[in-house]
Amino acid sequence: FKILSVGQLVERKGHSLILDAVKNMNNIKYQIAGTGPVQEEIEDKIENLGIEDKVELLGYVEDDKLGNLYRKADLFALTGLPRDDDVEAFGIVYLEANAAGLPVIGTDIQGIPSAVKDEDTGFLAEPNSINIRKKILELKRRPELRDEMGKRGVRWARKHDWSNIVSQIDSIIDKVV
């Protein structure tokens, strides 16, 4: 069962929560695409938890190779942490994963709920490893739910295509003017 995270390796992205969540799970591979200032901390945590066999740090992945990563994954997870000094304004990466047909797990903080439709295109979890673990296990156990969320996610992502967004903005401007 492959879990994928894509994003800069910074504390607010919450990779550490997923590492804690998967530590005692069987048949899991957690792939992390990205680089950043907390990479060494993540590497240390992987070693300290003894989960080197479950986690793969992919480093920077070119945009043209991301599609293949999404297609090979079963689930996308990026579990942001609440921070006042570093905010997740809108999680476009969740929509990218949805566009690839993946269900997503995010946390119910800041701009993430604007991108993740809870219990529809994925789950919004409390930002703690216990809750995240429950959501991962539910999707791992229920392939039909993954499939349905993935299909709904594709439709949700299409609504956020730039051409649709531009049309919506133009419509709002026309109404105001």
Side-chain angles (χ1 to χ4, degrees), residues 8-166:
Q8 189 179 26
L9 303 184
V10 294
E11 185 181 350
R12 79 170 156 87
K13 296 290 186 179
H15 297 94
S16 62
L17 294 176
I18 301 170
L19 294 172
D20 286 332
V22 302
K23 94 176 144 191
N24 293 318
M25 288 186 193
N26 296 320
N27 301 317
I28 291 281
K29 179 59 101 179
Y30 176 35
Q31 294 182 310
I32 303 171
T35 61
V38 299
Q39 181 167 337
E40 192 172 312
E41 292 171 35
I42 291 171
E43 291 168 350
D44 289 345
K45 183 163 190 146
I46 292 166
E47 185 177 337
N48 291 336
L49 292 174
I51 56 174
E52 299 92 338
D53 59 327
K54 294 180 184 187
V55 182
E56 184 179 9
L57 294 175
L58 303 173
Y60 177 77
V61 177
E62 298 285 336
D63 286 344
D64 63 342
K65 294 188 173 127
L66 281 174
N68 195 40
L69 279 180
Y70 285 123
R71 281 188 291 279
K72 290 182 178 179
D74 296 295
L75 165 67
F76 179 85
L78 195 59
T79 52
L81 294 166
R83 302 265 317 242
D84 291 332
D85 62 337
D86 192 10
V87 177
E88 186 75 51
F90 182 79
I92 198 161
V93 71
Y94 300 97
L95 294 174
E96 291 173 355
N98 278 155
L102 288 179
V104 299
I105 296 177
T107 43
D108 193 8
I109 63 161
Q110 299 163 346
I112 297 171
S114 296
V116 179
K117 289 178 72 177
D118 191 28
E119 297 188 19
D120 187 48
T121 64
F123 288 123
L124 290 171
E126 293 294 319
N128 65 66
S129 60
I130 293 168
N131 197 276
I132 292 162
R133 178 183 171 82
K134 287 178 186 175
K135 302 298 185 187
I136 292 170
L137 288 173
E138 182 171 355
L139 288 168
K140 184 177 184 235
R141 278 193 308 267
R142 298 182 57 199
E144 75 288 347
L145 179 61
R146 283 195 318 269
D147 186 53
E148 278 303 310
M149 284 182 163
K151 288 176 183 173
R152 290 190 298 260
V154 169
R155 290 191 296 273
W156 176 243
R158 283 187 185 140
K159 288 182 180 180
H160 292 84
D161 180 80
W162 281 115
S163 61
N164 292 331
I165 299 295
V166 169

